[in-house]
Amino acid sequence: MTEDNQQAGRPSDPCVMVIFGAAGDLTKRKLIPALCNLAAGNLLSQQLAIVGFGYNDFTTESFRQKLAEDIKTFATSPVDPKIWAWFQERIYYVRGDFSDTNAYQVLKKQLVEIGNKHKTQGNLFYYLAVAPRFFSEIVKQLGAAGMTEEQNGQWRRVIIEKPFGHDLESARALNADIKKVLEERQIYRIDHYLGKETVQNLMMFRFSNSIFEPIWNRHFIDHVQITAAETVGVEQRGGYYETAGALRDMVPNHLFQLVSLTAMEPPISFEADSVRDEQAKVLHALQPFSPEEVLSKTVRGQYGEGTTDGQRVPAYRAEPDVSPQSNTETYVALRLLIDNWRWAKVPFYLRTGKRLASRATEIAIRFHRAPFILFRDTPVGSLQRNELVIHIAPDEGISLQFGAKVPGPIMQQGTVKMNFNYVDYFGSRPSTGYERLLYDCMIGDATLFQRADMVEAGWAVITPVLDVWKALPPRSFPNYAAGSWGPKEADELLARDGHAWRDIDKDHHWK
Ligand code: BG6
C-alpha cells in the first residue's frame, strides 16, 4: 500500500474521470462529495477533469448546475466556494447510450479535447456507477473503441461497482468478459466497506501491535461474531432487493471482507498483491456448506411489520416494488469455519439484516474463559470472557472487556471495559467513505479493491446456500418483527454451540 503517499499528501495523478451513469444517486451522494473532500485536503491533481456520461438529457451547463444543487444537500461539510468554483469548471457531460457504438466515438473525441484542455496527460479513469447488466457491455464498447489500451505510460483504470455477479457462474462470466479487454491490474472492483476507517484500521491494529498477534488464533479465541445490523428497511430499493436479498447484498462482499481482514495471516508487505494474497487464502479456506449444513448452519429471515425508533413500520412484503408473496430474505445468519491451522474449529458467526433493533456494524472476538480453579465459588456463568470488539458503525473504535474485582470485602468478579473511540483521539473527519478509494484508484493502489479470485472465492461459498434456499422456499416468512433482533432460529444457531449473540443494545454504545 502506498500509505506514505497519502501521509505526504501527494496529489492524485492527472486524469480524466469518466462517470458512467453520472445522473444517478451514487454520483450525487458519494462521488462528488468525496471528490470535494479530496480537493479540500489538496489530494487532487490540478490536472483533473470529470466527465459524466449517460443517457439523461443534460448539457455540461445543466449538469454543472445540478451538481451545484446536489452538493448543498450531500456534502459532508460545507464546501468552500473557491473549491467548488475550481471543481465546477472541470465538470463536463456527454450524452450517450451505453450500448451505442457511435456514442463511444463521440466520448473518445471529447475526452481528447477535455484532456488536452486540463493537461491530464492522457490518463483515463472510468467509474461504472451503473446497473450491473451494463458492466460487460461498457467494458466491451470501451475496448472496441480503443479506449482501454495503455500506451506511452498513460494509464486506463476501471472501477466496477457492486454487485459483481449474482452467483459463482455469473461472477466468473463477468470476470471472463472484462478480462477480454482489461488486464487485472486495470480493474478496481469496489467494496465500500474497505473505505471505512475502522476496517482499514484492522490491519494496522493487528500487525502493528505485538500484544495481539500472539493470541490471535484458536488457542485463545473461542469464536468470532460479525454483525452488520441496520434499522432501515429496503427504502426505495425494493426492485433491486427483490433480486438480491440479504445474503447476496451483504455477505460475499462486505462481510467476507471483514472475515478475511480479521483472519488473514500477516502479509509480507503492504503491496496490493501481498495483502490480497493473504485475504484470498482465507476466502479459499472457508469451509463450503454441504446441503445438510445449509439447513443447520444458516438462517434466513424476513421482517414483518413492527416498530423501529418508535415508529410503526410496514412488513417487507408491503414495501414499494416488493411482491406481497415475496420470499426474499432480509436477514441472514451463518456459522462459518475456516479450514486452516490458525482457525480450525473456531466458529465465525455472521449476521446481517434490515429493520433490526439497532444500527451496529462490528467484529467481536470472544476469547476462551479463564481456567476456573481460582474462582471455585464463582458461578461459571458469571465469569465473563475477555472480548475485544472492533466497532465499525455507527461509532468507530475498539473496546476490550475484562474481569476485575468488585470493590468490597467479598471476592466478586465484575466486568469492565477499556474503550478507544476514534473521535476522542483523532477528532471527527466527516467523510463519505469513498475518498480513500477514489484517491487510491487515481494513484494506482489496488490494495483496497477486490481481485477476481477473491470475488469468485466468496461466491463459491455462498452459491450452495443460494441453491438450497431456492430449492426449499421458506415456510415461515415473515419470521421476525421489524425492530427486533431477527428470527429466533439465529439465536438457536449459537445456542447449539453454547454461545449467544452479543447484546448489542446493552453493549454497543460506550459513551
Ligand atoms: C450496500 C447494500 O452495499 O451496503 C445496502 O446494498 C446496505 O443494502 C449498505 O444498506 C450498508 O452499508 P453501510 O456503509 O451503511 O453499512
Side-chain angles (χ1 to χ4, degrees):
M1 194 183 310
T2 41
E3 192 68 44
D4 48 358
N5 289 333
Q6 240 188 330
Q7 274 160 17
R10 135 152 124 79
S12 60
D13 293 352
C15 66
V16 183
M17 174 177 176
V18 187
I19 307 176
F20 289 78
D25 257 19
L26 190 75
T27 307
K28 69 178 179 197
R29 285 178 189 274
K30 303 288 184 187
L31 303 184
I32 301 296
L35 289 168
C36 287
N37 288 343
L38 285 171
N42 290 321
L43 287 167
L44 288 186
S45 167
Q46 291 293 319
Q47 292 147 263
L48 175 81
I50 319 279
V51 176
F53 181 68
Y55 57 82
N56 293 72
D57 201 5
F58 285 109
T59 59
T60 287
E61 202 37 51
S62 63
F63 189 57
R64 287 178 179 179
Q65 278 164 13
K66 167 190 155 43
L67 294 185
E69 275 309 304
D70 291 341
I71 195 70
K72 292 182 194 151
T73 313
F74 297 109
T76 55
S77 48
V79 180
D80 180 339
K82 276 197 227 116
I83 291 185
W84 185 257
W86 173 87
F87 196 69
Q88 181 155 303
E89 68 182 24
R90 53 201 69 234
I91 294 175
Y92 299 84
Y93 192 83
V94 178
R95 189 158 176 253
D97 205 299
F98 301 142
S99 48
D100 174 6
T101 306
N102 291 331
Y104 289 79
Q105 292 305 331
V106 174
L107 178 64
K108 186 177 177 182
K109 195 160 155 276
Q110 293 273 310
L111 291 181
V112 173
E113 280 171 26
I114 293 167
N116 287 340
K117 179 163 174 212
H118 294 277
K119 304 190 174 50
T120 57
Q121 299 183 2
N123 297 326
L124 292 172
F125 165 18
Y126 304 113
Y127 197 119
L128 308 195
V130 298
R133 65 178 187 282
F134 295 118
F135 293 160
S136 289
E137 175 68 18
I138 292 173
V139 171
K140 191 178 87 187
Q141 293 279 2
L142 286 172
M147 297 167 78
T148 55
E149 282 150 39
E150 298 188 321
Q151 283 167 350
N152 312 323
Q154 301 174 337
W155 53 254
R156 308 275 180 269
R157 298 179 190 137
V158 183
I159 287 196
I160 301 190
E161 265 294 332
K162 63 162 285 216
F164 197 94
H166 52 87
D167 57 14
L168 180 57
E169 199 185 321
S170 56
R172 277 188 181 143
L174 179 53
N175 273 329
D177 278 355
I178 61 180
K179 283 181 171 195
K180 280 183 205 146
V181 176
L182 299 164
E183 301 286 335
E184 179 63 36
R185 66 181 160 71
Q186 296 177 280
I187 308 168
Y188 288 67
R189 298 173 191 79
I190 206 163
D191 182 325
H192 81 275
Y193 259 50
L194 291 175
K196 293 178 192 281
E197 222 29 89
T198 346
V199 174
Q200 292 169 22
N201 188 38
L202 257 167
M203 271 195 288
M204 185 68 84
F205 176 75
R206 286 192 54 200
F207 304 130
S208 70
N209 293 296
S210 61
I211 60 171
F212 297 111
E213 199 44 32
I215 57 169
W216 211 261
N217 56 53
R218 69 181 192 283
H219 299 299
F220 294 88
I221 294 177
D222 185 83
H223 69 273
V224 177
Q225 297 187 10
I226 300 183
T227 301
E230 299 184 87
T231 50
V232 291
V234 282
E235 302 179 291
Q236 302 313 311
R237 299 165 72 222
Y240 152 75
Y241 205 81
E242 278 285 88
T243 63
L247 183 61
R248 284 192 175 97
D249 189 41
M250 294 292 289
V251 179
N253 37 60
H254 307 327
L255 295 198
F256 279 5
Q257 291 292 342
L258 302 186
V259 171
S260 65
L261 290 169
T262 306
M264 70 196 258
E265 296 301 314
I268 52 164
S269 76
F270 275 140
E271 287 302 314
D273 274 332
S274 300
V275 173
R276 297 190 299 176
D277 284 348
E278 297 306 334
Q279 286 186 277
K281 279 187 210 162
V282 172
L283 297 171
H284 284 293
L286 289 174
Q287 207 175 75
F289 293 101
S290 67
E292 296 72 33
E293 282 167 339
V294 172
L295 302 179
S296 60
K297 309 279 190 265
T298 74
V299 172
R300 56 187 153 161
Q302 188 192 75
Y303 60 84
E305 60 179 340
T307 305
T308 310
D309 298 329
Q311 300 263 321
R312 281 307 281 174
V313 292
Y316 175 70
R317 288 177 178 179
E319 299 276 19
D321 302 320
V322 170
S323 152
Q325 285 86 38
S326 173
N327 278 334
T328 302
E329 81 286 352
T330 59
Y331 176 97
V332 51
L334 307 174
R335 180 189 190 275
L336 290 171
L337 287 176
I338 301 174
D339 270 343
N340 67 18
W341 196 264
R342 188 189 281 261
W343 295 111
K345 298 202 170 65
V346 177
F348 277 64
Y349 301 106
L350 273 48
R351 61 175 163 170
T352 181
K354 302 264 183 212
R355 286 277 189 238
L356 295 180
S358 302
R359 162 128 177 83
T361 307
E362 58 164 51
I363 302 167
I365 316 284
R366 284 207 171 152
F367 293 88
H368 292 307
R369 279 187 216 282
F372 301 130
I373 220 75
L374 268 176
F375 304 101
R376 240 179 240 127
D377 298 332
T378 312
V380 171
S382 74
L383 264 186
Q384 294 293 325
R385 295 168 189 281
N386 292 124
E387 184 172 82
L388 180 82
V389 183
I390 296 150
H391 301 268
I392 297 166
D395 309 305
E396 294 185 301
I398 296 175
S399 61
L400 178 65
Q401 170 179 296
F402 53 95
K405 181 181 168 298
V406 177
I410 310 165
M411 194 61 170
Q412 234 189 331
Q413 196 224 15
T415 301
V416 296
K417 268 196 207 161
M418 282 196 307
N419 293 325
F420 150 66
N421 191 348
Y422 251 86
V423 176
D424 296 344
Y425 278 78
F426 300 115
S428 105
R429 273 196 227 167
S431 78
T432 62
Y434 276 70
E435 289 77 0
R436 171 71 188 264
L437 299 171
L438 292 176
Y439 175 80
D440 279 0
C441 186
M442 290 193 239
I443 61 167
D445 183 347
T447 312
L448 297 177
F449 294 85
Q450 300 220 70
R451 230 171 34 191
D453 56 333
M454 296 164 73
V455 174
E456 291 179 16
W459 280 119
V461 177
I462 291 309
T463 302
V465 182
L466 292 167
D467 291 345
V468 173
W469 282 4
K470 192 169 170 207
L472 300 173
R475 275 174 291 176
S476 57
F477 277 8
N479 59 353
Y480 71 98
S484 71
W485 270 109
K488 65 176 183 346
E489 290 82 356
D491 296 332
E492 290 160 10
L493 179 74
L494 271 69
R496 286 199 285 279
D497 294 341
H499 298 141
W501 291 108
R502 248 167 64 74
D503 185 345
I504 288 187
D505 285 332
K506 194 165 117 247
D507 293 336
H508 189 75
H509 303 281
W510 59 66
K511 283 197 282 182

